[in-house]
Amino acid sequence: MVVTKDVTVNNARGLHARPAMQFVDVANAFQSEITVYKGGDDPLEVDGKSVMAMITLEGTQGTVLKIKADGEDADAAMAKLVELFESKFGEE
């Protein structure tokens, strides 16, 4: 099963090391492959289970990212990952 969803980085400091680590910790709790895409002038696709890869996205406030979860637990993984963005990674 493949699930995709667009999310917006809403926290003021963006997707810096701490929220990137939170994302990776949640992603690694699931069997599904997690991929994150950043569009725009300099598009990038990264492994959502790698902290260094997530940091390279340079997701500043307002950046739209597309998350793709591919696997048997894709729905559950997506729900938890989207929740992180909706909660602004607990920063605000």
Side-chain angles (χ1 to χ4, degrees), residues 13-26:
R13 294 180 57 212
L15 196 60
H16 59 93
R18 195 183 69 75
M21 191 68 218
Q22 284 180 279
F23 185 96
V24 169
D25 284 346
V26 170

Side-chain angles (χ1 to χ4, degrees), residues 16-79:
H16 59 93
R18 195 183 69 75
M21 191 68 218
Q22 284 180 279
F23 185 96
V24 169
D25 284 346
V26 170
N28 279 306
F30 295 92
Q31 293 294 318
S32 292
E33 281 185 34
I34 308 294
T35 310
V36 184
Y37 304 89
K38 177 183 171 186
D41 295 336
D42 194 16
L44 188 60
E45 173 182 331
V46 301
D47 177 359
K49 293 187 175 187
S50 164
V51 176
M52 292 309 292
M54 288 297 293
I55 290 172
T56 65
L57 288 171
E58 297 178 2
T60 56
Q61 187 176 33
T63 301
V64 176
L65 303 173
K66 181 181 292 293
I67 304 171
K68 179 175 104 175
D70 184 358
E72 289 184 24
D73 56 3
D75 279 330
M78 186 63 70

